[in-house]
Amino acid sequence: RPRDLLSLNEAVVSTQSTGNCNAFREELSALHTRRHNMITTCIERNQALMDGASDPAEKRRAQRSLRALKLEIGVERVVNERSETFLNNKCSPFLNFNAGS
C-alpha cells in the first residue's frame, strides 16, 4: 500500500538503522496477518451463509461476496510479495532476512 511504502521510505531514509527496518517489518507482518485473518473470517461466514441459505437471492449474494473475498486473498498475496520485496531491497544493507528462515 502506498502509505506503508511511504512509512518505510521515511523510516529507512531518516536513520537507516537495523532497528527501524526490524520494527517496520514486524509492524507490516502484523498488519498482513491481521488482514488475512479478517478476510478468512469473512470467507468462512459467507460460506456458512451460502450453505444455510434457502432463499436463492440470499444464496447468490453470499456467492458473490465469497468470490470477491477469494479474489481479495489473491490480491493480498501479491501485495505481501511486493511489500516483502520492497522491504528487502530497502533494508538488505542492515539485515539478513534469510538468517531466521
Side-chain angles (χ1 to χ4, degrees), residues 1 8 10 14 20 27 51 54 56-57 60 64-65 68 82 100:
R1 293 50 182 271
L8 177 59
E10 289 172 353
S14 65
N20 282 342
E27 181 183 348
D51 292 344
S54 57
R60 279 192 304 277
R64 279 194 301 273
S65 293
R82 288 183 180 176

Side-chain angles (χ1 to χ4, degrees), residues 13-48:
V13 171
S14 65
T15 61
Q16 297 207 344
S17 71
T18 301
N20 282 342
C21 287
N22 277 331
F24 190 79
R25 186 168 203 225
E26 289 173 12
E27 181 183 348
L28 191 61
S29 178
L31 290 170
H32 287 316
T33 299
R34 191 173 81 205
R35 181 164 164 74
H36 177 78
N37 290 342
M38 288 180 351
I39 294 170
T40 302
T41 299
C42 288
I43 287 174
E44 290 168 356
R45 288 182 182 169
N46 275 283
Q47 184 66 52

